[in-house]
Amino acid sequence: MLAAARKMPGIANGVAGSDRAKAALERTLGYVDLPAFVVADPQTLPPVVSKAKIDALSAEARANIVILVEDSFTASFDGPLVAAAGRVLTACGYTVLRLPPHSNGKVLHLLGMRDRFARIAAKRMAEVKGFADLGVRLVGLDAATALMFTQEFAEMTGDSVDVAGLETLLAEAVRQGRIPAAARAVPPQRLLGHCTEQALRPQALALWAEALAGFGIVAQPTKTGCCGMAGLFGHEAQNQTLSRDIFALSWADVTRDDAMLATGFSCRCQTKRLTGRRPLHPVELIDRVLAG
């Protein structure tokens, strides 16, 4: 369904955004405040990866390749982020390709449909492992989905592939001195992490702060708990009061103005629906300071 909507986001938003459709979704599925489709212009995206072409390259050429492993949520609802990441990595001298999004089965996993999820896990793991075995870098834009290759998918398949966080690669680029100069300055930012990311990649915010500093951006890692979205939890009608109360505990104050960056898709989604302000992903701000 997401793949079809990405091909015609205007129509999908027109239908899903109508009052009648919203009422039907709440009545039949119990969901409210679902995000609008925001897809990238295909012309702005990195080229789609080809295993055959990579296989023909030398080991030295492969070492400079970065494959952005797209997830269906980012591609469907935050598509321009993929384009921004591609531009920033290209500016750092990497050869950037992308692996288009496929269903990751995360909703099936949340709903306990393990048999169906296991089949998807096997497909996604085999797909990504095929590229990892060629010696290229695999990078995910959303920690909650990238971590599935070492968590949920690994549990189901008995295999594991490191789909690294973007912050790891950018911090490395800063240390290697391969980053371009920023074209403009921006005010200091609060840096907010996804709760799953903070638990399983506790170094992520420090790496983001290091990477951002390399581009002249001061970003202070800010401790937060769950934003109250928690997958589909925050979209379930029966959970609205609790979801908002959870957000109020540690997110309401740190999202009081626009001087904020958030690494998680669900965190950006929750902040936008409860404050009207969408935090930038860190790489989006880097993209802006490079563009001037």
Side-chain angles (χ1 to χ4, degrees):
M1 184 175 69
L2 291 180
R6 284 195 297 272
K7 294 179 180 178
M8 44 185 182
I11 295 174
N13 286 332
V15 173
S18 68
D19 291 340
R20 181 174 295 182
K22 290 179 180 179
L25 278 171
E26 182 173 358
R27 183 176 63 254
T28 59
L29 300 178
Y31 294 140
V32 299
D33 292 346
L34 294 178
F37 287 91
V38 181
V39 302
D41 179 345
Q43 300 300 316
T44 67
L45 294 171
V48 173
V49 66
S50 165
K51 189 174 181 181
K53 290 182 179 179
I54 291 179
D55 197 31
L57 297 174
S58 67
E60 183 180 4
R62 293 181 196 179
N64 197 54
I65 290 177
V66 174
I67 298 178
L68 293 178
V69 181
E70 287 192 86
D71 64 272
S72 54
F73 299 121
T74 301
S76 300
F77 306 112
D78 221 354
L81 171 58
V82 182
R87 286 190 295 268
V88 169
L89 290 172
T90 298
C92 292
Y94 294 104
T95 300
V96 186
L97 304 170
R98 66 184 174 92
L99 184 60
H102 300 287
S103 173
N104 57 32
K106 194 166 184 67
V107 173
L108 297 177
H109 187 266
L110 291 171
L111 296 176
M113 300 179 180
R114 291 178 63 84
D115 290 343
R116 291 176 61 187
F117 177 71
R119 291 193 290 273
I120 291 175
K123 290 180 181 178
R124 297 291 80 79
M125 187 64 79
E127 178 183 45
V128 169
K129 192 172 188 303
F131 289 107
D133 289 345
L134 293 176
V136 297
R137 304 283 293 269
L138 299 166
V139 172
L141 296 177
D142 183 73
T145 49
L147 282 164
M148 293 179 76
F149 291 95
T150 55
Q151 300 294 318
E152 295 96 331
F153 290 165
E155 176 190 355
M156 288 293 176
T157 65
D159 212 339
S160 179
V161 174
D162 180 27
V163 177
L166 184 57
E167 71 283 354
T168 301
L169 191 60
L170 288 176
E172 178 183 295
V174 168
R175 295 182 204 124
Q176 294 174 349
R178 62 186 297 168
I179 64 170
R184 67 181 177 97
V186 294
Q189 305 287 311
R190 293 180 297 279
L191 184 57
L192 314 173
H194 190 285
C195 55
T196 299
E197 177 184 45
Q198 293 182 68
L200 299 177
R201 287 180 179 164
Q203 76 286 5
L205 289 187
L207 288 173
W208 267 123
E210 179 184 355
L212 288 159
F215 292 91
I217 302 168
V218 176
Q220 177 61 49
T222 303
K223 188 172 181 57
T224 54
C226 177
C227 70
M229 181 56 74
L232 289 174
F233 179 89
H235 289 304
E236 295 177 357
Q238 63 184 7
N239 300 329
Q240 290 310 292
T241 298
L242 181 54
S243 177
R244 292 167 187 270
D245 287 347
I246 293 172
F247 183 84
L249 289 175
S250 62
W251 278 79
D253 181 60
V254 297
T255 58
R256 61 188 178 274
D257 56 40
D258 290 328
M260 56 179 170
L261 303 171
T263 63
F265 163 73
S266 59
C267 310
R268 295 191 298 277
C269 183
Q270 176 81 321
T271 300
K272 181 178 180 180
R273 82 182 188 112
L274 296 186
T275 71
R277 294 182 295 275
R278 174 194 175 276
L280 291 177
H281 185 282
V283 81
E284 290 180 297
L285 186 57
I286 294 173
D287 185 43
R288 292 187 182 187
V289 302
L290 291 181

